Amino acid sequence: MSITNATATRTLITGASAGIGVELARECARNGQSLVLVARRKERLEEIAAELRDRHRVTIDTIDQDLAESGSAQRLAERVQGLDVSIENLINNAGFGANGVFHDLEIDEQVRMIHLNCATLTELTHRFLPGMLSRRRGRILNVASTAAFQPGPFMAVYYATKAYVLSFTEAIAEETRGTGVSVTALCPGATRTEFQERANAENMQLLRFGTASARSVAAYGFRAMMSGKVIAIPGLSNKLLRQSIRITPHGVVRRVVRFINGKR
Ligand code: NAP
């Protein structure tokens, strides 16, 4: 289903009730974009929508939906169609991780993670991209991570989902080159949000090396999306990390990541 006949244009942001998603919503609204905000916590979405309507005079709808369930992308697209808007920009930000030894972690939760981080992101892109292409105008921002650059012992599934997001995004970016539609992968390093608590990752060694603010990551991501950059890595240390992984033996990289993903 593509959404082509609607009048008003919106930026749709998943995972807009917390962390990087809230700050992306603030960036978009500050730049005059009307929004559709999606997450499970309706009250949080309403609070953010009220703040942004008041401050920036933009139109905002909120949709409370669990996006880790099978069929959820279709249900979301149908609810968006009911709003009679066209999605000019799509920000696939919702995601979560889990820290622990793979075989000890709840498998149902790992499968939900794959669904949210990969399947929903893919299906929403598939549903909204055709409308953008027919209008020859649109931006897609997929939130990956520096976790996409290497395997992640103690967060094995999460790292693998982010490798998928980066690979998928680069491929679609190339397919759509020259069409007026751009596709960007945002690859933040550790960022202060609710992510760490939810992932049981608050005591990870990695966090001793510092964290970025969600606001700075979102500001960088918004600029990258609007300029059509394909891979956007906020922060010099994260850019250097990516280069160093390329020249370091893979076995060494795995051991280093095992250490930084371990608990203090
Ligand atoms: P966060 O503060 O935990 O926010 C996650 C957002 O996703 C919330 O709005 C949450 O809303 C939503 N969400 C989670 N599960 C959902 C579900 N089943 N259905 C619908 N929405 C769901 O985490 P964050 O750090 O901002 O994460 C945003 C993105 O950045 C994620 O893709 C994450 O992998 C990525 N990232 C984070 C970091 C980091 O260190 N924080 C680093 C690199 C990449 P509800 O709970 O209300 O549903």
mmCIF file with all atom_site columns, all heavy atoms in Angstrom, residues 15 17-20 40-41 65-67 93 143-144 158 162 188-189 191 193-194 196 198, ligand 1:
data_model
loop_
_atom_site.group_PDB
_atom_site.id
_atom_site.type_symbol
_atom_site.label_atom_id
_atom_site.label_alt_id
_atom_site.label_comp_id
_atom_site.label_asym_id
_atom_site.label_entity_id
_atom_site.label_seq_id
_atom_site.pdbx_PDB_ins_code
_atom_site.Cartn_x
_atom_site.Cartn_y
_atom_site.Cartn_z
_atom_site.occupancy
_atom_site.B_iso_or_equiv
_atom_site.pdbx_formal_charge
_atom_site.auth_seq_id
_atom_site.auth_comp_id
_atom_site.auth_asym_id
_atom_site.auth_atom_id
_atom_site.pdbx_PDB_model_num
ATOM   1   N N   . GLY A 1 15  ? 9.350  5.376  17.764 1.00 0.00 ? 15  GLY A N   1
ATOM   2   C CA  . GLY A 1 15  ? 10.137 5.477  18.998 1.00 0.00 ? 15  GLY A CA  1
ATOM   3   C C   . GLY A 1 15  ? 10.313 6.918  19.426 1.00 0.00 ? 15  GLY A C   1
ATOM   4   O O   . GLY A 1 15  ? 11.382 7.327  19.886 1.00 0.00 ? 15  GLY A O   1
ATOM   5   N N   . SER A 1 17  ? 8.787  8.484  21.916 1.00 0.00 ? 17  SER A N   1
ATOM   6   C CA  . SER A 1 17  ? 8.385  8.771  23.299 1.00 0.00 ? 17  SER A CA  1
ATOM   7   C C   . SER A 1 17  ? 9.568  8.923  24.246 1.00 0.00 ? 17  SER A C   1
ATOM   8   O O   . SER A 1 17  ? 9.384  9.230  25.417 1.00 0.00 ? 17  SER A O   1
ATOM   9   C CB  . SER A 1 17  ? 7.469  7.653  23.815 1.00 0.00 ? 17  SER A CB  1
ATOM   10  O OG  . SER A 1 17  ? 8.192  6.440  23.892 1.00 0.00 ? 17  SER A OG  1
ATOM   11  N N   . ALA A 1 18  ? 10.793 8.687  23.759 1.00 0.00 ? 18  ALA A N   1
ATOM   12  C CA  . ALA A 1 18  ? 11.964 8.742  24.651 1.00 0.00 ? 18  ALA A CA  1
ATOM   13  C C   . ALA A 1 18  ? 13.241 8.946  23.822 1.00 0.00 ? 18  ALA A C   1
ATOM   14  O O   . ALA A 1 18  ? 13.226 8.787  22.596 1.00 0.00 ? 18  ALA A O   1
ATOM   15  C CB  . ALA A 1 18  ? 12.087 7.447  25.460 1.00 0.00 ? 18  ALA A CB  1
ATOM   16  N N   . GLY A 1 19  ? 14.312 9.315  24.526 1.00 0.00 ? 19  GLY A N   1
ATOM   17  C CA  . GLY A 1 19  ? 15.661 9.280  23.967 1.00 0.00 ? 19  GLY A CA  1
ATOM   18  C C   . GLY A 1 19  ? 15.879 10.028 22.659 1.00 0.00 ? 19  GLY A C   1
ATOM   19  O O   . GLY A 1 19  ? 15.439 11.168 22.487 1.00 0.00 ? 19  GLY A O   1
ATOM   20  N N   . ILE A 1 20  ? 16.543 9.371  21.741 1.00 0.00 ? 20  ILE A N   1
ATOM   21  C CA  . ILE A 1 20  ? 16.925 9.988  20.464 1.00 0.00 ? 20  ILE A CA  1
ATOM   22  C C   . ILE A 1 20  ? 15.672 10.358 19.662 1.00 0.00 ? 20  ILE A C   1
ATOM   23  O O   . ILE A 1 20  ? 15.637 11.389 18.988 1.00 0.00 ? 20  ILE A O   1
ATOM   24  C CB  . ILE A 1 20  ? 17.836 9.016  19.670 1.00 0.00 ? 20  ILE A CB  1
ATOM   25  C CG1 . ILE A 1 20  ? 19.154 8.769  20.433 1.00 0.00 ? 20  ILE A CG1 1
ATOM   26  C CG2 . ILE A 1 20  ? 18.131 9.555  18.273 1.00 0.00 ? 20  ILE A CG2 1
ATOM   27  C CD1 . ILE A 1 20  ? 20.012 7.616  19.880 1.00 0.00 ? 20  ILE A CD1 1
ATOM   28  N N   . ARG A 1 40  ? 4.732  3.068  22.077 1.00 0.00 ? 40  ARG A N   1
ATOM   29  C CA  . ARG A 1 40  ? 3.667  2.413  22.846 1.00 0.00 ? 40  ARG A CA  1
ATOM   30  C C   . ARG A 1 40  ? 3.066  3.344  23.891 1.00 0.00 ? 40  ARG A C   1
ATOM   31  O O   . ARG A 1 40  ? 1.888  3.289  24.168 1.00 0.00 ? 40  ARG A O   1
ATOM   32  C CB  . ARG A 1 40  ? 4.216  1.154  23.536 1.00 0.00 ? 40  ARG A CB  1
ATOM   33  C CG  . ARG A 1 40  ? 4.529  0.029  22.567 1.00 0.00 ? 40  ARG A CG  1
ATOM   34  C CD  . ARG A 1 40  ? 5.349  -1.046 23.220 1.00 0.00 ? 40  ARG A CD  1
ATOM   35  N NE  . ARG A 1 40  ? 6.615  -0.498 23.729 1.00 0.00 ? 40  ARG A NE  1
ATOM   36  C CZ  . ARG A 1 40  ? 7.545  -1.200 24.347 1.00 0.00 ? 40  ARG A CZ  1
ATOM   37  N NH1 . ARG A 1 40  ? 7.364  -2.487 24.541 1.00 0.00 ? 40  ARG A NH1 1
ATOM   38  N NH2 . ARG A 1 40  ? 8.653  -0.631 24.761 1.00 0.00 ? 40  ARG A NH2 1
ATOM   39  N N   . ARG A 1 41  ? 3.870  4.226  24.496 1.00 0.00 ? 41  ARG A N   1
ATOM   40  C CA  . ARG A 1 41  ? 3.374  5.035  25.618 1.00 0.00 ? 41  ARG A CA  1
ATOM   41  C C   . ARG A 1 41  ? 2.651  6.284  25.128 1.00 0.00 ? 41  ARG A C   1
ATOM   42  O O   . ARG A 1 41  ? 3.268  7.304  24.835 1.00 0.00 ? 41  ARG A O   1
ATOM   43  C CB  . ARG A 1 41  ? 4.546  5.391  26.542 1.00 0.00 ? 41  ARG A CB  1
ATOM   44  C CG  . ARG A 1 41  ? 5.022  4.203  27.360 1.00 0.00 ? 41  ARG A CG  1
ATOM   45  C CD  . ARG A 1 41  ? 6.292  4.493  28.088 1.00 0.00 ? 41  ARG A CD  1
ATOM   46  N NE  . ARG A 1 41  ? 7.436  4.602  27.191 1.00 0.00 ? 41  ARG A NE  1
ATOM   47  C CZ  . ARG A 1 41  ? 8.686  4.869  27.576 1.00 0.00 ? 41  ARG A CZ  1
ATOM   48  N NH1 . ARG A 1 41  ? 8.949  5.069  28.839 1.00 0.00 ? 41  ARG A NH1 1
ATOM   49  N NH2 . ARG A 1 41  ? 9.644  4.936  26.705 1.00 0.00 ? 41  ARG A NH2 1
ATOM   50  N N   . GLN A 1 65  ? 1.349  2.338  19.371 1.00 0.00 ? 65  GLN A N   1
ATOM   51  C CA  . GLN A 1 65  ? 1.368  0.995  18.788 1.00 0.00 ? 65  GLN A CA  1
ATOM   52  C C   . GLN A 1 65  ? 2.648  0.253  19.129 1.00 0.00 ? 65  GLN A C   1
ATOM   53  O O   . GLN A 1 65  ? 3.737  0.837  19.104 1.00 0.00 ? 65  GLN A O   1
ATOM   54  C CB  . GLN A 1 65  ? 1.239  1.099  17.266 1.00 0.00 ? 65  GLN A CB  1
ATOM   55  C CG  . GLN A 1 65  ? 1.104  -0.275 16.666 1.00 0.00 ? 65  GLN A CG  1
ATOM   56  C CD  . GLN A 1 65  ? 0.385  -0.248 15.349 1.00 0.00 ? 65  GLN A CD  1
ATOM   57  O OE1 . GLN A 1 65  ? -0.473 0.593  15.099 1.00 0.00 ? 65  GLN A OE1 1
ATOM   58  N NE2 . GLN A 1 65  ? 0.730  -1.155 14.499 1.00 0.00 ? 65  GLN A NE2 1
ATOM   59  N N   . ASP A 1 66  ? 2.493  -1.016 19.451 1.00 0.00 ? 66  ASP A N   1
ATOM   60  C CA  . ASP A 1 66  ? 3.642  -1.898 19.653 1.00 0.00 ? 66  ASP A CA  1
ATOM   61  C C   . ASP A 1 66  ? 4.129  -2.339 18.275 1.00 0.00 ? 66  ASP A C   1
ATOM   62  O O   . ASP A 1 66  ? 3.401  -3.003 17.538 1.00 0.00 ? 66  ASP A O   1
ATOM   63  C CB  . ASP A 1 66  ? 3.231  -3.114 20.499 1.00 0.00 ? 66  ASP A CB  1
ATOM   64  C CG  . ASP A 1 66  ? 4.433  -3.960 20.894 1.00 0.00 ? 66  ASP A CG  1
ATOM   65  O OD1 . ASP A 1 66  ? 5.491  -3.852 20.237 1.00 0.00 ? 66  ASP A OD1 1
ATOM   66  O OD2 . ASP A 1 66  ? 4.321  -4.721 21.867 1.00 0.00 ? 66  ASP A OD2 1
ATOM   67  N N   . LEU A 1 67  ? 5.356  -1.974 17.936 1.00 0.00 ? 67  LEU A N   1
ATOM   68  C CA  . LEU A 1 67  ? 5.886  -2.264 16.600 1.00 0.00 ? 67  LEU A CA  1
ATOM   69  C C   . LEU A 1 67  ? 6.745  -3.531 16.570 1.00 0.00 ? 67  LEU A C   1
ATOM   70  O O   . LEU A 1 67  ? 7.376  -3.827 15.558 1.00 0.00 ? 67  LEU A O   1
ATOM   71  C CB  . LEU A 1 67  ? 6.704  -1.070 16.097 1.00 0.00 ? 67  LEU A CB  1
ATOM   72  C CG  . LEU A 1 67  ? 5.909  0.223  15.890 1.00 0.00 ? 67  LEU A CG  1
ATOM   73  C CD1 . LEU A 1 67  ? 6.842  1.383  15.561 1.00 0.00 ? 67  LEU A CD1 1
ATOM   74  C CD2 . LEU A 1 67  ? 4.874  0.056  14.780 1.00 0.00 ? 67  LEU A CD2 1
ATOM   75  N N   . ASN A 1 93  ? 13.306 4.859  13.998 1.00 0.00 ? 93  ASN A N   1
ATOM   76  C CA  . ASN A 1 93  ? 14.194 5.031  15.154 1.00 0.00 ? 93  ASN A CA  1
ATOM   77  C C   . ASN A 1 93  ? 13.936 3.993  16.253 1.00 0.00 ? 93  ASN A C   1
ATOM   78  O O   . ASN A 1 93  ? 14.864 3.617  16.969 1.00 0.00 ? 93  ASN A O   1
ATOM   79  C CB  . ASN A 1 93  ? 14.006 6.450  15.710 1.00 0.00 ? 93  ASN A CB  1
ATOM   80  C CG  . ASN A 1 93  ? 14.563 6.596  17.113 1.00 0.00 ? 93  ASN A CG  1
ATOM   81  O OD1 . ASN A 1 93  ? 15.773 6.649  17.322 1.00 0.00 ? 93  ASN A OD1 1
ATOM   82  N ND2 . ASN A 1 93  ? 13.668 6.633  18.102 1.00 0.00 ? 93  ASN A ND2 1
ATOM   83  N N   . VAL A 1 143 ? 17.795 4.429  12.015 1.00 0.00 ? 143 VAL A N   1
ATOM   84  C CA  . VAL A 1 143 ? 18.758 4.533  13.117 1.00 0.00 ? 143 VAL A CA  1
ATOM   85  C C   . VAL A 1 143 ? 19.420 3.167  13.319 1.00 0.00 ? 143 VAL A C   1
ATOM   86  O O   . VAL A 1 143 ? 18.790 2.208  13.763 1.00 0.00 ? 143 VAL A O   1
ATOM   87  C CB  . VAL A 1 143 ? 18.096 5.052  14.409 1.00 0.00 ? 143 VAL A CB  1
ATOM   88  C CG1 . VAL A 1 143 ? 19.149 5.152  15.518 1.00 0.00 ? 143 VAL A CG1 1
ATOM   89  C CG2 . VAL A 1 143 ? 17.461 6.423  14.162 1.00 0.00 ? 143 VAL A CG2 1
ATOM   90  N N   . ALA A 1 144 ? 20.691 3.114  12.920 1.00 0.00 ? 144 ALA A N   1
ATOM   91  C CA  . ALA A 1 144 ? 21.523 1.913  13.129 1.00 0.00 ? 144 ALA A CA  1
ATOM   92  C C   . ALA A 1 144 ? 22.315 2.157  14.403 1.00 0.00 ? 144 ALA A C   1
ATOM   93  O O   . ALA A 1 144 ? 21.759 2.547  15.434 1.00 0.00 ? 144 ALA A O   1
ATOM   94  C CB  . ALA A 1 144 ? 22.411 1.672  11.924 1.00 0.00 ? 144 ALA A CB  1
ATOM   95  N N   . TYR A 1 158 ? 21.455 -7.945 19.147 1.00 0.00 ? 158 TYR A N   1
ATOM   96  C CA  . TYR A 1 158 ? 21.340 -6.494 18.912 1.00 0.00 ? 158 TYR A CA  1
ATOM   97  C C   . TYR A 1 158 ? 22.352 -6.035 17.857 1.00 0.00 ? 158 TYR A C   1
ATOM   98  O O   . TYR A 1 158 ? 21.994 -5.329 16.906 1.00 0.00 ? 158 TYR A O   1
ATOM   99  C CB  . TYR A 1 158 ? 21.550 -5.732 20.225 1.00 0.00 ? 158 TYR A CB  1
ATOM   100 C CG  . TYR A 1 158 ? 21.508 -4.230 20.024 1.00 0.00 ? 158 TYR A CG  1
ATOM   101 C CD1 . TYR A 1 158 ? 20.301 -3.592 19.743 1.00 0.00 ? 158 TYR A CD1 1
ATOM   102 C CD2 . TYR A 1 158 ? 22.669 -3.455 20.074 1.00 0.00 ? 158 TYR A CD2 1
ATOM   103 C CE1 . TYR A 1 158 ? 20.254 -2.223 19.531 1.00 0.00 ? 158 TYR A CE1 1
ATOM   104 C CE2 . TYR A 1 158 ? 22.627 -2.093 19.870 1.00 0.00 ? 158 TYR A CE2 1
ATOM   105 C CZ  . TYR A 1 158 ? 21.417 -1.474 19.605 1.00 0.00 ? 158 TYR A CZ  1
ATOM   106 O OH  . TYR A 1 158 ? 21.365 -0.117 19.385 1.00 0.00 ? 158 TYR A OH  1
ATOM   107 N N   . LYS A 1 162 ? 21.671 -4.398 13.984 1.00 0.00 ? 162 LYS A N   1
ATOM   108 C CA  . LYS A 1 162 ? 22.153 -3.098 13.510 1.00 0.00 ? 162 LYS A CA  1
ATOM   109 C C   . LYS A 1 162 ? 23.023 -3.252 12.262 1.00 0.00 ? 162 LYS A C   1
ATOM   110 O O   . LYS A 1 162 ? 23.050 -2.363 11.405 1.00 0.00 ? 162 LYS A O   1
ATOM   111 C CB  . LYS A 1 162 ? 22.884 -2.362 14.638 1.00 0.00 ? 162 LYS A CB  1
ATOM   112 C CG  . LYS A 1 162 ? 21.940 -1.966 15.780 1.00 0.00 ? 162 LYS A CG  1
ATOM   113 C CD  . LYS A 1 162 ? 20.794 -1.083 15.294 1.00 0.00 ? 162 LYS A CD  1
ATOM   114 C CE  . LYS A 1 162 ? 19.814 -0.690 16.375 1.00 0.00 ? 162 LYS A CE  1
ATOM   115 N NZ  . LYS A 1 162 ? 18.744 0.199  15.907 1.00 0.00 ? 162 LYS A NZ  1
ATOM   116 N N   . PRO A 1 188 ? 24.970 6.089  15.756 1.00 0.00 ? 188 PRO A N   1
ATOM   117 C CA  . PRO A 1 188 ? 25.498 6.689  16.982 1.00 0.00 ? 188 PRO A CA  1
ATOM   118 C C   . PRO A 1 188 ? 26.296 5.660  17.790 1.00 0.00 ? 188 PRO A C   1
ATOM   119 O O   . PRO A 1 188 ? 26.036 4.464  17.710 1.00 0.00 ? 188 PRO A O   1
ATOM   120 C CB  . PRO A 1 188 ? 24.236 7.077  17.778 1.00 0.00 ? 188 PRO A CB  1
ATOM   121 C CG  . PRO A 1 188 ? 23.061 6.727  16.932 1.00 0.00 ? 188 PRO A CG  1
ATOM   122 C CD  . PRO A 1 188 ? 23.529 5.779  15.877 1.00 0.00 ? 188 PRO A CD  1
ATOM   123 N N   . GLY A 1 189 ? 27.228 6.163  18.602 1.00 0.00 ? 189 GLY A N   1
ATOM   124 C CA  . GLY A 1 189 ? 27.841 5.341  19.642 1.00 0.00 ? 189 GLY A CA  1
ATOM   125 C C   . GLY A 1 189 ? 26.968 5.445  20.882 1.00 0.00 ? 189 GLY A C   1
ATOM   126 O O   . GLY A 1 189 ? 25.808 5.892  20.811 1.00 0.00 ? 189 GLY A O   1
ATOM   127 N N   . THR A 1 191 ? 24.879 6.489  23.814 1.00 0.00 ? 191 THR A N   1
ATOM   128 C CA  . THR A 1 191 ? 24.132 7.745  23.972 1.00 0.00 ? 191 THR A CA  1
ATOM   129 C C   . THR A 1 191 ? 23.274 7.636  25.228 1.00 0.00 ? 191 THR A C   1
ATOM   130 O O   . THR A 1 191 ? 22.659 6.584  25.453 1.00 0.00 ? 191 THR A O   1
ATOM   131 C CB  . THR A 1 191 ? 23.226 7.968  22.724 1.00 0.00 ? 191 THR A CB  1
ATOM   132 O OG1 . THR A 1 191 ? 24.038 7.846  21.544 1.00 0.00 ? 191 THR A OG1 1
ATOM   133 C CG2 . THR A 1 191 ? 22.561 9.327  22.737 1.00 0.00 ? 191 THR A CG2 1
ATOM   134 N N   . THR A 1 193 ? 20.271 7.583  27.183 1.00 0.00 ? 193 THR A N   1
ATOM   135 C CA  . THR A 1 193 ? 18.816 7.478  26.983 1.00 0.00 ? 193 THR A CA  1
ATOM   136 C C   . THR A 1 193 ? 18.304 6.383  27.928 1.00 0.00 ? 193 THR A C   1
ATOM   137 O O   . THR A 1 193 ? 19.051 5.890  28.765 1.00 0.00 ? 193 THR A O   1
ATOM   138 C CB  . THR A 1 193 ? 18.490 7.061  25.522 1.00 0.00 ? 193 THR A CB  1
ATOM   139 O OG1 . THR A 1 193 ? 18.974 5.729  25.325 1.00 0.00 ? 193 THR A OG1 1
ATOM   140 C CG2 . THR A 1 193 ? 19.106 7.979  24.487 1.00 0.00 ? 193 THR A CG2 1
ATOM   141 N N   . GLU A 1 194 ? 17.071 5.960  27.703 1.00 0.00 ? 194 GLU A N   1
ATOM   142 C CA  . GLU A 1 194 ? 16.533 4.843  28.492 1.00 0.00 ? 194 GLU A CA  1
ATOM   143 C C   . GLU A 1 194 ? 17.059 3.493  27.997 1.00 0.00 ? 194 GLU A C   1
ATOM   144 O O   . GLU A 1 194 ? 16.774 2.455  28.594 1.00 0.00 ? 194 GLU A O   1
ATOM   145 C CB  . GLU A 1 194 ? 15.003 4.858  28.410 1.00 0.00 ? 194 GLU A CB  1
ATOM   146 C CG  . GLU A 1 194 ? 14.400 6.083  29.048 1.00 0.00 ? 194 GLU A CG  1
ATOM   147 C CD  . GLU A 1 194 ? 12.883 6.173  28.836 1.00 0.00 ? 194 GLU A CD  1
ATOM   148 O OE1 . GLU A 1 194 ? 12.281 5.187  28.364 1.00 0.00 ? 194 GLU A OE1 1
ATOM   149 O OE2 . GLU A 1 194 ? 12.319 7.225  29.152 1.00 0.00 ? 194 GLU A OE2 1
ATOM   150 N N   . GLN A 1 196 ? 19.978 1.971  27.935 1.00 0.00 ? 196 GLN A N   1
ATOM   151 C CA  . GLN A 1 196 ? 20.880 1.157  28.765 1.00 0.00 ? 196 GLN A CA  1
ATOM   152 C C   . GLN A 1 196 ? 20.097 0.415  29.847 1.00 0.00 ? 196 GLN A C   1
ATOM   153 O O   . GLN A 1 196 ? 20.343 -0.766 30.088 1.00 0.00 ? 196 GLN A O   1
ATOM   154 C CB  . GLN A 1 196 ? 21.973 2.043  29.402 1.00 0.00 ? 196 GLN A CB  1
ATOM   155 C CG  . GLN A 1 196 ? 23.064 2.508  28.427 1.00 0.00 ? 196 GLN A CG  1
ATOM   156 C CD  . GLN A 1 196 ? 22.640 3.663  27.534 1.00 0.00 ? 196 GLN A CD  1
ATOM   157 O OE1 . GLN A 1 196 ? 21.663 4.349  27.820 1.00 0.00 ? 196 GLN A OE1 1
ATOM   158 N NE2 . GLN A 1 196 ? 23.356 3.879  26.452 1.00 0.00 ? 196 GLN A NE2 1
ATOM   159 N N   . ARG A 1 198 ? 16.906 -0.412 29.844 1.00 0.00 ? 198 ARG A N   1
ATOM   160 C CA  . ARG A 1 198 ? 16.065 -1.437 29.222 1.00 0.00 ? 198 ARG A CA  1
ATOM   161 C C   . ARG A 1 198 ? 16.883 -2.639 28.764 1.00 0.00 ? 198 ARG A C   1
ATOM   162 O O   . ARG A 1 198 ? 16.389 -3.766 28.735 1.00 0.00 ? 198 ARG A O   1
ATOM   163 C CB  . ARG A 1 198 ? 15.363 -0.856 27.999 1.00 0.00 ? 198 ARG A CB  1
ATOM   164 C CG  . ARG A 1 198 ? 14.249 0.055  28.360 1.00 0.00 ? 198 ARG A CG  1
ATOM   165 C CD  . ARG A 1 198 ? 13.406 0.316  27.156 1.00 0.00 ? 198 ARG A CD  1
ATOM   166 N NE  . ARG A 1 198 ? 12.201 0.992  27.553 1.00 0.00 ? 198 ARG A NE  1
ATOM   167 C CZ  . ARG A 1 198 ? 11.224 1.290  26.728 1.00 0.00 ? 198 ARG A CZ  1
ATOM   168 N NH1 . ARG A 1 198 ? 11.315 0.975  25.460 1.00 0.00 ? 198 ARG A NH1 1
ATOM   169 N NH2 . ARG A 1 198 ? 10.158 1.901  27.162 1.00 0.00 ? 198 ARG A NH2 1
HETATM 170 P P1  . NAP B 2 .   ? 15.150 4.633  24.318 1.00 0.00 ? 1   NAP B P1  1
HETATM 171 O O1  . NAP B 2 .   ? 15.386 5.869  25.093 1.00 0.00 ? 1   NAP B O1  1
HETATM 172 O O2  . NAP B 2 .   ? 14.921 3.354  25.057 1.00 0.00 ? 1   NAP B O2  1
HETATM 173 O O3  . NAP B 2 .   ? 13.946 4.890  23.291 1.00 0.00 ? 1   NAP B O3  1
HETATM 174 C C1  . NAP B 2 .   ? 13.442 3.832  22.497 1.00 0.00 ? 1   NAP B C1  1
HETATM 175 C C2  . NAP B 2 .   ? 12.169 4.277  21.798 1.00 0.00 ? 1   NAP B C2  1
HETATM 176 O O4  . NAP B 2 .   ? 11.676 3.158  21.043 1.00 0.00 ? 1   NAP B O4  1
HETATM 177 C C3  . NAP B 2 .   ? 11.094 4.684  22.777 1.00 0.00 ? 1   NAP B C3  1
HETATM 178 O O5  . NAP B 2 .   ? 10.357 5.750  22.255 1.00 0.00 ? 1   NAP B O5  1
HETATM 179 C C4  . NAP B 2 .   ? 10.226 3.441  22.873 1.00 0.00 ? 1   NAP B C4  1
HETATM 180 O O6  . NAP B 2 .   ? 8.881  3.826  23.148 1.00 0.00 ? 1   NAP B O6  1
HETATM 181 C C5  . NAP B 2 .   ? 10.340 2.903  21.446 1.00 0.00 ? 1   NAP B C5  1
HETATM 182 N N1  . NAP B 2 .   ? 10.049 1.467  21.424 1.00 0.00 ? 1   NAP B N1  1
HETATM 183 C C6  . NAP B 2 .   ? 10.705 0.483  22.091 1.00 0.00 ? 1   NAP B C6  1
HETATM 184 N N2  . NAP B 2 .   ? 10.108 -0.690 21.896 1.00 0.00 ? 1   NAP B N2  1
HETATM 185 C C7  . NAP B 2 .   ? 9.034  -0.427 21.095 1.00 0.00 ? 1   NAP B C7  1
HETATM 186 C C8  . NAP B 2 .   ? 8.001  -1.239 20.552 1.00 0.00 ? 1   NAP B C8  1
HETATM 187 N N3  . NAP B 2 .   ? 7.929  -2.556 20.809 1.00 0.00 ? 1   NAP B N3  1
HETATM 188 N N4  . NAP B 2 .   ? 7.063  -0.656 19.775 1.00 0.00 ? 1   NAP B N4  1
HETATM 189 C C9  . NAP B 2 .   ? 7.101  0.672  19.518 1.00 0.00 ? 1   NAP B C9  1
HETATM 190 N N5  . NAP B 2 .   ? 8.060  1.491  20.005 1.00 0.00 ? 1   NAP B N5  1
HETATM 191 C C10 . NAP B 2 .   ? 9.006  0.932  20.782 1.00 0.00 ? 1   NAP B C10 1
HETATM 192 O O7  . NAP B 2 .   ? 16.398 4.324  23.354 1.00 0.00 ? 1   NAP B O7  1
HETATM 193 P P2  . NAP B 2 .   ? 17.238 5.249  22.335 1.00 0.00 ? 1   NAP B P2  1
HETATM 194 O O8  . NAP B 2 .   ? 18.645 5.171  22.753 1.00 0.00 ? 1   NAP B O8  1
HETATM 195 O O9  . NAP B 2 .   ? 16.610 6.578  22.130 1.00 0.00 ? 1   NAP B O9  1
HETATM 196 O O10 . NAP B 2 .   ? 17.087 4.351  21.026 1.00 0.00 ? 1   NAP B O10 1
HETATM 197 C C11 . NAP B 2 .   ? 16.639 4.861  19.781 1.00 0.00 ? 1   NAP B C11 1
HETATM 198 C C12 . NAP B 2 .   ? 17.388 4.134  18.668 1.00 0.00 ? 1   NAP B C12 1
HETATM 199 O O11 . NAP B 2 .   ? 18.768 4.463  18.775 1.00 0.00 ? 1   NAP B O11 1
HETATM 200 C C13 . NAP B 2 .   ? 17.304 2.608  18.756 1.00 0.00 ? 1   NAP B C13 1
HETATM 201 O O12 . NAP B 2 .   ? 17.119 2.083  17.464 1.00 0.00 ? 1   NAP B O12 1
HETATM 202 C C14 . NAP B 2 .   ? 18.657 2.206  19.312 1.00 0.00 ? 1   NAP B C14 1
HETATM 203 O O13 . NAP B 2 .   ? 19.032 0.911  18.911 1.00 0.00 ? 1   NAP B O13 1
HETATM 204 C C15 . NAP B 2 .   ? 19.532 3.277  18.674 1.00 0.00 ? 1   NAP B C15 1
HETATM 205 N N6  . NAP B 2 .   ? 20.831 3.498  19.313 1.00 0.00 ? 1   NAP B N6  1
HETATM 206 C C16 . NAP B 2 .   ? 20.901 3.807  20.648 1.00 0.00 ? 1   NAP B C16 1
HETATM 207 C C17 . NAP B 2 .   ? 22.139 4.006  21.234 1.00 0.00 ? 1   NAP B C17 1
HETATM 208 C C18 . NAP B 2 .   ? 22.279 4.336  22.704 1.00 0.00 ? 1   NAP B C18 1
HETATM 209 O O14 . NAP B 2 .   ? 23.393 4.159  23.271 1.00 0.00 ? 1   NAP B O14 1
HETATM 210 N N7  . NAP B 2 .   ? 21.259 4.851  23.373 1.00 0.00 ? 1   NAP B N7  1
HETATM 211 C C19 . NAP B 2 .   ? 23.312 3.876  20.469 1.00 0.00 ? 1   NAP B C19 1
HETATM 212 C C20 . NAP B 2 .   ? 23.198 3.575  19.127 1.00 0.00 ? 1   NAP B C20 1
HETATM 213 C C21 . NAP B 2 .   ? 21.951 3.381  18.555 1.00 0.00 ? 1   NAP B C21 1
HETATM 214 P P3  . NAP B 2 .   ? 7.816  3.012  24.040 1.00 0.00 ? 1   NAP B P3  1
HETATM 215 O O15 . NAP B 2 .   ? 8.551  2.341  25.147 1.00 0.00 ? 1   NAP B O15 1
HETATM 216 O O16 . NAP B 2 .   ? 6.876  4.095  24.508 1.00 0.00 ? 1   NAP B O16 1
HETATM 217 O O17 . NAP B 2 .   ? 7.165  2.071  23.099 1.00 0.00 ? 1   NAP B O17 1
#
